[in-house]
Amino acid sequence: MLTLKILFWASLIIVFYTYIGYGILLYIIIRVKRLFWGSPQKAVLPADDELPSMTLMICAYNEEDVVAEKMENTLALDYPKDKLRIMWVTDGSSDRTNELLKAYPEVDIVFSPERRGKTAALKHGLRELKTRYVAFTDANTMINAGALREIARLFTDPTVGCVSGEKRVAARKAGEMAAEGEGLYWKYESTLKRWDNELYSTMGAAGELYAMDPKLCREVPDEALLDDFMMSMYVVQAGKRIAYTPDAYAQEYGSANIFEESKRKRRIAAGGLQSIWWLRSMLNPFHQPLVTFQYVSHRVLRWSITPIAMVLLLLANIALVVMGAGNFYTVILILQILFYLMALAGWLLNRYGYKNKLLYTAYYFIFMNFNVFRGMAYLRTHGKSGAWEKAKRS
């Protein structure tokens, strides 16, 4: 029974720490830091003549449906035209994407006839780079007008090698639970990113909007499923910070349905496992102790150990109750069962067109962790290719 109790408590601590405890600890550390050093001060926004040259790179595969909207958004950006280069890297596109882009003389089209995946497309685009900084965004995301100015402001800090914007997920219409579940997750994730940034560095950038100093760009393996995370974390590995700002944001619509969202989640989980292996040197606390603390707490546990710990927690709890370990374990088991029943109810209601945010939140939490196991299987079958099937948006 002692072994089961150790397994139960270890699993409970891991699950609690990953999703609640790290946020609480991070918040406490930041509050203490502010007491001694004060709140962080914002750097002054550079004047137009002081702004660095920047390329906005958009990697695309068969994006003819969004070219017009994306270009309207891009041309409305508040950044000096003589300092902004717009580059579309079209990787194997077989639709009218290239043809439509030719209507915009401001655009540099970098085309590869073979579809080799986004990582290969990024490498192709970087070889054509001629500006001081490069900002990456997706074809189906729209960024705010002042985003590039805000990114340039953060690059005035010499410790910053990468800037991560905020990802915002919107539902095209009320009641789209897949989109709303994803949006809720990203609100939580954005809060952790802000706190990580204030402590030292954000742990990775999202591909919807981030920027880098090209001098710090390292070759990412072509089979990488999370090229944005890998490229940004290489910056941290090199001793620079990833700065995070909600004042530069990218907005996109959520997945069309939970099936499409599952495509994203399993790919992200598989890419997370790839990244843990490729960035394994960052697990050494003697090299960059604060980075290791943030990286393991925010990323590694969520992508590897914690989903397994959730399964072990339930199984160990059942065994302890059967063996008569005490009322405490019975209460915890009841709470676990109630939570899983809430998740089941959330799934059933969503399947039949009914909506309840509380129940759906429980379901989305289980859904995220279940897809880590699906990601393990995905990695075995897709781990040699950086190309993936796009999830349909609402």
Side-chain angles (χ1 to χ4, degrees):
M1 186 180 290
L2 177 60
T3 301
L4 281 173
K5 286 185 176 180
I6 293 173
L7 182 62
F8 170 87
W9 281 103
S11 300
L12 180 62
I13 290 169
I14 289 171
V15 173
F16 176 83
Y17 177 76
T18 301
Y19 291 108
I20 300 175
Y22 176 60
I24 294 173
L25 180 59
L26 196 57
Y27 179 75
I28 292 172
I29 294 172
I30 288 170
R31 297 297 294 185
V32 172
K33 184 180 178 182
R34 288 177 186 172
L35 284 175
F36 288 94
W37 289 281
S39 297
Q41 301 297 311
K42 292 184 72 171
V44 176
L45 186 69
D48 281 12
D49 60 343
E50 296 176 336
L51 286 170
S53 59
M54 192 176 302
T55 294
L56 182 66
M57 187 185 297
I58 305 159
C59 291
Y61 169 70
N62 287 352
E63 296 286 5
E64 63 180 7
D65 293 340
V66 298
V67 166
E69 184 182 8
K70 182 64 177 180
M71 283 307 303
E72 181 182 358
N73 174 256
T74 301
L75 295 175
L77 292 174
D78 179 20
Y79 207 82
K81 303 305 178 186
D82 61 327
K83 294 189 175 183
L84 177 61
R85 183 185 185 195
I86 303 168
M87 181 192 295
W88 281 69
V89 185
T90 61
D91 176 50
S93 290
S94 56
D95 65 355
R96 297 175 62 242
T97 298
N98 290 337
E99 180 185 341
L100 294 172
L101 287 171
K102 289 177 181 177
Y104 300 93
E106 306 90 346
V107 173
D108 292 328
I109 303 172
V110 179
F111 174 63
S112 172
E114 180 185 358
R115 189 188 180 200
R116 293 181 297 156
K118 187 178 178 182
T119 302
L122 284 171
K123 290 179 182 178
H124 191 182
L126 287 170
R127 287 195 295 270
E128 304 295 324
L129 201 64
K130 300 174 183 177
T131 54
R132 178 65 184 87
Y133 293 106
V134 57
F136 305 95
T137 184
D138 290 338
N140 64 343
T141 60
M142 306 301 143
I143 63 180
N144 62 307
L148 299 187
R149 284 183 179 269
E150 172 66 7
I151 286 170
R153 183 185 68 79
L154 290 174
F155 273 128
T156 60
D157 183 342
T159 68
V160 172
C162 175
V163 177
S164 173
E166 182 168 277
K167 175 179 176 177
R168 299 182 182 180
V169 179
R172 196 174 290 273
K173 58 185 178 181
E176 290 182 341
M177 298 307 286
E180 290 180 3
E182 186 185 353
L184 180 65
Y185 165 77
W186 274 102
K187 287 178 182 177
Y188 164 73
E189 180 68 9
S190 295
T191 300
L192 287 184
K193 282 175 176 283
R194 285 198 302 272
W195 292 347
D196 270 335
N197 175 64
E198 189 170 344
L199 179 60
Y200 174 63
S201 171
T202 297
M203 290 294 109
E208 286 75 14
L209 179 60
Y210 73 107
M212 290 185 62
D213 180 344
K215 297 174 185 176
L216 298 173
C217 288
R218 279 178 52 188
E219 288 261 324
V220 175
D222 283 349
E223 65 269 26
L225 295 168
L226 291 184
D227 51 90
D228 46 6
F229 181 77
M230 285 296 302
M231 285 184 67
S232 59
M233 288 302 289
Y234 279 151
V235 170
V236 180
Q237 195 176 51
K240 295 285 188 175
R241 296 193 307 112
I242 303 172
Y244 178 80
T245 173
D247 294 328
Y249 60 85
Q251 182 165 301
E252 66 180 2
Y253 292 112
S255 300
N257 52 54
I258 203 67
F259 174 75
E260 296 297 328
E261 177 66 358
S262 182
K263 291 180 185 178
R264 290 183 62 258
K265 289 300 183 192
R266 70 186 180 191
R267 177 181 61 81
I268 291 170
L273 291 169
Q274 280 182 329
S275 302
I276 290 171
W277 175 249
W278 288 331
L279 297 171
R280 58 191 180 277
S281 65
M282 296 183 73
L283 300 176
N284 179 4
F286 297 103
H287 180 52
Q288 293 175 298
L290 187 54
V291 168
T292 300
F293 163 67
Q294 291 184 279
Y295 176 50
V296 171
S297 299
H298 194 162
R299 296 298 186 186
V300 175
L301 291 176
R302 194 184 298 184
W303 284 338
S304 58
I305 298 172
T306 302
I308 297 171
M310 287 177 63
V311 175
L312 294 176
L313 177 63
L314 180 60
L315 295 177
N317 202 171
I318 292 171
L320 286 168
V321 170
V322 170
M323 296 171 67
N327 292 335
F328 172 80
Y329 296 99
T330 302
V331 171
I332 297 298
L333 180 59
I334 291 171
L335 291 175
Q336 284 203 76
I337 292 172
L338 284 174
F339 183 77
Y340 283 106
L341 287 174
M342 288 172 61
L344 177 61
W347 172 70
L348 288 171
L349 287 174
N350 180 67
R351 186 176 181 182
Y352 291 104
Y354 297 98
K355 302 164 181 68
N356 182 291
K357 284 193 175 182
L358 177 63
L359 297 179
Y360 190 83
T361 299
Y363 165 57
Y364 195 82
F365 178 80
I366 299 300
F367 165 80
M368 285 195 309
N369 283 280
F370 175 70
N371 274 286
V372 172
F373 294 102
R374 296 191 69 201
M376 295 175 185
Y378 185 90
L379 189 59
R380 287 200 299 271
T381 57
H382 295 73
K384 299 299 182 182
S385 171
W388 66 81
E389 183 183 358
K390 292 189 296 183
K392 297 176 182 177
R393 294 289 175 175
S394 62

